[in-house]
């Protein structure tokens, strides 16, 4: 974790949609990139459900239905997949609840559930300020505050330290309460504490950690419960323990429990002499506990003042949510002295990256031309941009004066909360993965629409199914398409995932034989070996799953997912300068004999159209190990154009508030030679009685008359088993038609590529008077098993 002075807090601004009113005592959970908030109080208890989409910087109010619970504050709130459970809380002043509600977020459907009482003993009494933690199929309830008085206007507080477990049914519903028999000394009664559950890798025994809380005075003790043995203990810790506090938040990322905010003793008070009489104030202190070593680390101390408003101001009763390795904080109450009743509620939303991002996947090729590449890489969650670099064996030459001018770039840093564009609202959560048109959003299960209203019926989840409801009537093929620069055109075109590869530098043909279903079938056709592993596929992360072909004779049926309309441009490949807020990009000196890595630019999204690169100062190159160096000013650097028929190596790194990730593995692609035809496009796959039907559209730039097409299939060989990234192809078609049939016998010999999701790989190329141009590669996604594709 970065040192305290290097924390890069970000305050979120310019969000769209109905922003909820500020509050405290609310709770929040995360479902993928969504932060879901319920309850809390500020001039009355809130009863609405608010959702914030961290990827699009948009708030929305889902149209919930069913047994909608009353508003509550200081309640239990946990998330199990797309199911949320709410227990207890204050429903009005002095009146607490012990009711349990379930929300199915895939349909925004509330349901009141009634667990069976424990076999021995009473169910939990009405309470607030308790902890409610989920692990596996059980929720664990500890402590809280009850009202001993039957008169809600005459509050007689009773602090609790009882412990319950609630068994859940799979998917929906609950079984009942149980009162586990625990061992060891039980923590003292308390409310407004935190409890998290952590399971160390390899140990297999989940542990619940309870920290702080209130019992007349604030507490700073740490307790540990072994969930398997139900044994309480008080671990010895190292480092500086955070001040006693309540109404703070605790969030687990990796092996760290992050503690932020809360009520702490007022400076100068001696708690040991008067713990009940001292005054309390909000804090913005920030610490974490390493749950493996039990060592505390202070990131922001209570004495550090923030005069530049560069981090959240002191608060208590706020909410915190971890999405990936990023922490979000929203609202809460602020007040210097609680006794003066002068606190107000904060309205701000902040986030903090806690770790550098992981390295992105290899750069993947979508399209190559004589002077450009259209490339992409798998998206890394919660990053602010990507640094793309290349090098080549050609000597670098300064570009012309025209081309060395600064490019037209959008100002400012990569702001992840502005990617969605105004007017786009996310309206629900679904387990369905949609077509490639919704590439970035659909993989996270969010249906994005252009309407401000929606119907819950639109959000039908398809539990564990890779197909949308509209594609579930048969098991024909389903796939994505990335058609050159233009994206999908029709639903029929959304049947393949394509990339363009140069097949003009391949090994001469050989012959391969194989056995198909007990019958000998000679496959003496064109076999192709890729030039290097780097040409192995433009694999898109957000691929729509393909089912294996059915053996039923349903001829000429193509199964595609319905496209979801979105209001933003899918591919944003504009390079942008770094602002002062963006972490420094490290640089290092080039060693003798090494090729210099040059910056292509910083990109907001995970795609780029590359036709030029920047010439860095002599003897400098991007490197991932040297930190805190100045970022080059791209407006002052010369640029160089890509050259036809030239191989270029690419790598990419992700950037967030903590810095830059390691670079990806290197990929290598070659620009096309002028005069050769472009790659075929709009590839479609459908099944027929003989196997599958493969069709495509002619190249958009044929550069003359197309003389023939060739289609190739990646096949199983001993060589591939030794080196899975080195694909071997056989030619399965050669002719003038823009379609062919791939027989069951040929498919039985197909190699299943597991570099990402299981797929059969095809390549299709066109030939003109000058020769063959680059090929379009398509990955026909299979199920997770290794059976033959027609089984």
């Amino acid at each position: 974790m970065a040192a305290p002075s290097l924390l890069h807090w970000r305050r979120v601004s310019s969000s769209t949609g109905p922003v909820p009113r500020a509050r405290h005592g609310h709770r929040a959970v995360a479902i993928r990139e969504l932060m879901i908030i319920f309850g809390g109080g500020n001039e009355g208890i809130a009863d609405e459900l608010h959702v914030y989409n961290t990827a699009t910087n948009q708030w929305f109010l889902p149209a919930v239905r069913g047994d909608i619970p009353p508003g509550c504050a200081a309640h239990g709130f946990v998330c199990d997949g797309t199911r949320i459970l709410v227990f207890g809380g204050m429903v009005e002043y002095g009146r607490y609840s012990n009711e349990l509600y379930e929300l199915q977020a895939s349909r925004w459907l509330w349901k009141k559930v009634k667990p069976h009482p424990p076999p021995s003993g009473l169910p939990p009494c009405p309470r607030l300020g308790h902890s409610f933690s989920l692990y596996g199929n059980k929720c664990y309830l500890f402590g809280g505050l009850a009202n001993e008085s039957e008169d809600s206007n005459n509050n007689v507080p009773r602090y609790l330290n009882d412990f319950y477990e609630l068994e859940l049914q799979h998917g929906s519903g609950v079984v009942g309460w149980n009162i586990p028999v625990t061992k060891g000394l039980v923590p003292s009664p308390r409310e407004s504490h935190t409890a998290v559950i952590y399971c160390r890798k390899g140990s297999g025994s989940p542990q619940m950690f309870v920290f702080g809380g209130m019992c007349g005075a604030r507490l700073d003790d740490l307790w540990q419960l072994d969930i398997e043995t139900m044994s309480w203990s008080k671990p010895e810790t190292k480092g500086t323990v955070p001040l006693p506090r309540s109404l703070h938040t605790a969030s687990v990322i990796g092996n760290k429990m992050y503690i932020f905010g809360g009520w702490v003793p007022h400076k100068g008070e001696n708690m040991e002499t008067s713990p009940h009489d001292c005054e309390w104030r909000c804090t913005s202190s920030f610490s974490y506990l390493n749950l493996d070593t039990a060592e505390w680390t202070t990131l922001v101390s209570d004495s550090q003042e923030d005069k530049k408003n560069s981090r959240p101001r002191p608060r208590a009763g706020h909410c915190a949510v971890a999405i990936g390795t990023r922490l979000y904080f929203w609202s809460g109450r602020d007040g210097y002295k609680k006794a003066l009743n002068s606190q107000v509620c904060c309205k701000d939303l902040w986030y903090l990256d806690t770790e550098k991002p992981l390295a992105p996947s290899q750069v993947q090729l979508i399209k190559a031309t004589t002077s450009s590449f259209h490339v992409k890489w798998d998206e890394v969650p919660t990053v602010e941009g990507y640094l793309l670099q290349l090098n080549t064996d050609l000597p670098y030459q300064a570009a012309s004066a025209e081309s060395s001018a600064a490019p037209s770039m959008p100002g400012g840093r990569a702001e992840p909360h502005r990617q969605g564009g105004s007017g786009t609202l996310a309206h629900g959560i679904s387990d369905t993965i949609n077509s490639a048109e919704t590439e970035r959003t659909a993989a996270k299960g969010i249906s994005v629409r252009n309407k401000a209203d929606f119907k819950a019926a639109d959000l039908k989840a398809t539990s564990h199914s890779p197909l949308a409801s509209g594609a579930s009537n048969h098991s024909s093929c389903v796939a994505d398409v990335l058609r050159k620069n233009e994206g999908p055109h029709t639903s029929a075109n959304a049947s393949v995932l394509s990339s363009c590869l140069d097949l003009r530098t391949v090994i001469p043909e050989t012959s391969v034989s194989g056995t198909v279903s007990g019958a000998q079938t000679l496959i003496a056709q064109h076999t192709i070996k890729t030039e290097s592993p780097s040409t192995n596929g433009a694999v898109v992360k957000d691929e729509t799953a393909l089912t294996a072909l059915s053996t039923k004779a349903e001829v000429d049926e193509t199964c595609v997912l319905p496209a979801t309309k979105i209001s933003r441009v899918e591919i944003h490949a504009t390079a942008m300068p770094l602002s002062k807020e963006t972490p420094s990009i490290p640089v290092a000196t080039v060693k003798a004999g090494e090729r210099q890595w040059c910056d292509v630019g910083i990109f907001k999204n995970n795609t780029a159209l590359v036709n030029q690169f920047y010439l860095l100062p002599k003897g400098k190159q991007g490197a991932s190990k040297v930190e805190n160096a100045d970022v080059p000013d791209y407006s002052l650097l010369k640029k160089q154009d890509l050259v036809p028929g030239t191989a270029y190596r690419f790598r990419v790194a992700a950037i967030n508030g903590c810095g830059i990730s390691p670079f990806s593995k290197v990929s290598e692609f070659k620009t096309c030679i002028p005069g050769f035809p472009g790659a075929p496009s709009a590839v479609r796959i459908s099944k027929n009685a003989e196997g599958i039907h493969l069709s495509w559209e002619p190249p958009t730039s044929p550069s003359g008359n197309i003389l023939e097409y060739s289609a190739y299939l990646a096949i199983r060989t001993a060589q591939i088993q030794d080196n899975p990234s080195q694909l071997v192809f056989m030619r399965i078609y050669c002719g003038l038609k823009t379609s062919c049939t791939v027989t069951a016998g040929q498919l039985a010999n197909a190699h299943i590529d597991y570099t990402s999701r299981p797929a059969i790989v095809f390549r299709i190329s066109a030939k003109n008077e000058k020769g063959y141009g680059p090929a379009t590669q398509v990955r026909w996604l299979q199920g997770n098993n290794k059976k033959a594709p027609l089984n």
Side-chain angles (χ1 to χ4, degrees):
M1 181 68 191
S5 60
L6 299 179
L7 293 177
H8 291 276
W9 292 93
R10 302 279 197 252
R11 181 170 180 172
V12 178
S13 59
S14 304
S15 60
T16 59
V19 179
R21 73 178 190 268
R23 64 194 64 193
H24 61 91
H26 52 290
R27 299 289 188 261
V29 294
I31 299 181
R32 292 186 282 270
E33 77 273 32
L34 300 186
M35 179 170 71
I36 300 175
I37 297 169
F38 180 69
N42 180 17
E43 299 178 358
I45 295 177
D47 60 358
E48 66 273 0
L49 189 79
H50 289 269
V51 181
Y52 174 70
N53 188 320
T54 62
T56 61
N57 193 23
Q58 295 167 320
W59 291 94
F60 67 93
L61 274 166
V64 295
R65 57 196 177 93
D67 304 324
I68 300 175
C72 56
H75 47 287
F77 200 56
V78 297
C79 180
D80 174 30
T82 58
R83 164 175 60 172
I84 296 174
L85 294 169
V86 180
F87 174 75
M90 181 172 69
V91 292
E92 61 183 49
Y93 180 77
R95 188 166 73 86
Y96 310 152
S97 168
N98 63 348
E99 293 179 337
L100 181 67
Y101 289 86
E102 174 187 273
L103 172 68
Q104 290 290 344
S106 59
R107 295 172 289 165
W108 301 123
L109 177 64
W110 283 106
K111 178 183 178 182
K112 186 175 182 179
V113 291
K114 296 181 179 180
H116 294 298
S120 59
L122 298 174
C125 65
R127 65 189 67 201
L128 61 73
H130 47 283
S131 60
F132 197 52
S133 310
L134 173 75
Y135 186 82
N137 69 330
K138 292 182 180 178
C139 290
Y140 297 92
L141 170 68
F142 175 73
L145 180 70
N147 186 2
E148 289 285 79
S149 173
E150 295 182 0
D151 182 5
S152 60
N153 294 319
N154 182 25
N155 200 356
V156 179
R158 177 168 65 95
Y159 295 95
L160 306 170
N161 67 342
D162 49 357
F163 180 63
Y164 289 84
E165 66 179 13
L166 174 66
E167 184 177 355
L168 310 181
Q169 292 178 346
H170 178 71
S172 178
V174 297
V175 178
W177 293 104
N178 184 39
I179 304 176
V181 177
T182 60
K183 307 170 187 175
L185 185 63
V186 179
S188 60
R190 66 193 63 206
E191 58 104 359
S192 297
H193 55 282
T194 55
V196 301
I197 298 181
Y198 168 72
C199 188
R200 180 186 299 187
K201 289 183 179 179
S203 71
S205 180
Q207 308 289 317
M208 185 170 80
F209 293 87
V210 175
F211 176 72
M214 169 73 173
C215 185
R218 268 72 182 177
L219 304 169
D220 63 353
D221 51 349
L222 177 72
W223 293 84
Q224 182 175 347
L225 174 68
D226 188 305
I227 298 295
E228 288 187 355
T229 64
M230 285 295 162
S231 300
W232 285 102
S233 61
K234 198 171 182 181
E236 294 184 6
T237 61
K238 297 172 284 186
T240 303
V241 178
L243 289 174
R245 66 190 62 211
S246 64
L247 293 172
H248 54 286
T249 54
S251 307
V252 175
I253 296 178
N255 66 344
K256 299 179 178 66
M257 177 178 72
Y258 292 91
I259 302 293
F260 176 76
W263 286 108
V264 297
H266 175 48
K267 294 177 183 176
E269 294 287 352
N270 187 343
M271 282 192 54
E272 294 182 0
T273 58
S274 56
H276 289 268
D277 298 325
C278 69
E279 293 185 350
W280 305 86
R281 61 184 178 85
C282 290
T283 182
S284 60
S285 59
F286 187 42
S287 304
Y288 73 77
L289 175 70
N290 186 311
L291 297 173
D292 291 336
T293 63
E295 181 174 4
W296 287 103
T297 299
T298 300
L299 299 173
V300 177
S301 69
D302 204 67
S303 60
Q304 286 179 276
E305 294 189 10
D306 180 27
K307 297 180 180 180
K308 298 181 180 180
N309 296 320
S310 59
R311 66 172 186 263
R313 70 180 189 264
R315 66 193 63 208
H318 53 285
C319 69
V321 161
I323 296 179
T325 58
R326 178 175 287 178
L327 270 175
Y328 283 85
F329 304 92
W330 182 70
S331 202
R333 59 182 175 182
D334 175 21
Y336 188 73
K337 291 185 177 182
K338 184 179 179 183
L340 299 179
N341 198 28
S342 60
Q343 66 267 11
V344 294
C345 285
C346 310
K347 299 178 180 179
D348 47 356
L349 172 64
W350 293 77
Y351 70 83
L352 175 72
D353 290 310
T354 61
E355 298 175 9
K356 290 182 180 180
L358 298 175
S361 65
Q362 280 182 283
V363 177
Q364 302 148 16
L365 181 65
I366 297 174
K367 178 186 176 182
T369 69
T370 57
S371 59
S372 69
F373 296 110
H374 184 191
V375 297
K376 80 178 308 293
W377 50 91
D378 288 356
E379 188 178 64
V380 180
T382 60
V383 297
E384 300 181 0
Y386 301 91
L387 170 64
L388 181 64
Q389 294 185 331
L390 65 72
N391 75 23
T392 181
D393 293 330
L394 285 180
Y396 296 128
Q397 299 173 351
S400 64
E402 263 184 36
S403 63
S404 63
S408 175
M409 300 179 182
R413 63 185 178 88
E415 175 54 72
H417 298 284
R418 299 188 63 85
Q419 294 173 359
S422 60
T424 307
L425 293 182
H427 294 312
I429 304 168
S430 170
D431 293 328
T432 300
I433 301 177
N434 292 319
S435 66
E437 187 173 3
T438 58
E439 174 193 339
R440 181 176 183 278
T441 307
K444 298 168 182 171
I446 310 304
S447 300
V448 182
R449 302 179 183 272
N450 292 324
K451 300 178 181 179
D453 57 341
F454 70 102
K455 297 179 180 179
D458 295 336
L459 306 175
K460 295 179 180 178
T462 59
S463 177
H464 304 103
S465 172
L467 299 179
S469 57
S472 59
N473 293 332
H474 54 81
S475 57
S476 182
C477 64
V478 184
D480 286 342
V481 62
L482 282 177
R483 184 184 181 273
K484 298 196 173 183
N485 274 345
E486 303 155 359
H489 294 280
T490 66
S491 61
N493 288 341
S495 59
V496 289
L497 171 68
S498 62
S499 61
C500 300
L501 302 168
D502 193 344
L503 291 182
R504 286 177 276 102
T505 53
V506 298
I507 291 177
E509 63 184 69
T510 61
S511 64
V512 179
S513 63
T515 302
V516 180
S517 302
Q520 287 286 344
T521 302
L522 181 64
I523 309 175
Q525 303 178 37
H526 199 162
T527 303
I528 294 180
K529 180 179 177 182
T530 55
E531 182 178 13
S532 71
S534 65
T535 63
N536 176 24
V539 182
V540 177
K541 176 181 180 182
D542 302 325
E543 299 165 335
T544 303
L546 282 169
T547 59
L549 284 179
S550 171
T551 55
K552 297 179 182 178
E554 298 178 38
V555 181
D556 293 328
E557 290 184 356
T558 300
C559 175
V560 297
L561 290 175
T564 301
K565 296 180 180 179
I566 55 176
S567 64
R568 64 184 176 84
V569 177
E570 182 56 38
I571 295 173
H572 303 275
T574 305
M576 60 182 186
L578 291 172
S579 73
K580 294 180 180 179
E581 294 184 40
T582 308
S584 297
I585 305 302
V587 298
T589 303
V590 180
K591 297 180 181 179
E594 288 186 0
R595 293 304 304 167
Q596 178 178 341
W597 284 98
C598 297
D599 288 4
V600 177
I602 308 292
F603 296 86
K604 288 183 180 181
N605 298 318
N606 60 324
T607 60
L609 183 60
V610 182
N611 49 35
Q612 293 177 319
F613 56 92
Y614 294 97
L615 298 174
L616 297 179
K618 188 176 181 180
K620 300 290 183 180
Q621 72 170 20
S624 58
K625 296 182 180 179
V626 182
E627 302 193 11
N628 303 326
D630 291 334
V631 178
D633 186 347
Y634 290 135
S635 65
L636 303 178
L637 298 180
K638 292 183 178 180
K639 295 189 296 180
Q640 182 162 314
D641 295 328
L642 300 190
V643 179
T646 304
Y648 291 90
R649 289 172 287 276
F650 286 88
R651 66 181 188 179
V652 65
I655 305 166
N656 69 7
C658 286
I660 185 170
S661 75
F663 279 95
S664 67
K665 294 179 180 179
V666 176
S667 299
E668 184 172 333
F669 311 117
K670 194 172 184 178
T671 49
C672 299
I673 300 174
F676 288 87
S681 59
V683 183
R684 289 171 290 186
I685 300 174
S686 59
K687 66 179 182 177
N688 60 24
E690 300 177 53
I692 64 169
H693 184 258
L694 194 63
S695 64
W696 55 89
E697 296 293 334
T700 54
S701 53
S703 299
N705 295 322
I706 298 297
L707 303 180
E708 66 182 26
Y709 296 94
S710 285
Y712 306 91
L713 169 68
I715 58 172
R716 291 194 305 273
T717 66
Q719 180 181 350
I720 291 183
Q721 292 177 354
D722 297 335
N723 184 8
S725 63
Q726 191 75 49
L727 297 183
V728 175
F729 287 81
M730 73 172 182
R731 186 156 65 180
I732 54 176
Y733 170 76
C734 182
L736 269 173
K737 291 184 178 180
T738 56
S739 65
C740 69
T741 294
V742 186
T743 66
Q746 292 168 327
L747 288 172
N749 200 46
H751 166 68
I752 305 295
D753 178 34
Y754 287 92
T755 53
S756 56
R757 298 175 67 178
I760 293 175
V761 182
F762 296 96
R763 290 181 180 175
I764 306 165
S765 58
K767 180 182 179 181
N768 64 8
E769 293 85 349
K770 198 162 186 177
Y772 273 100
T776 296
Q777 175 165 301
V778 295
R779 302 185 79 250
W780 178 36
L781 301 186
Q782 304 296 300
N784 292 324
N785 56 50
K786 298 188 179 182
K787 296 180 180 179
L790 289 178
N791 287 348

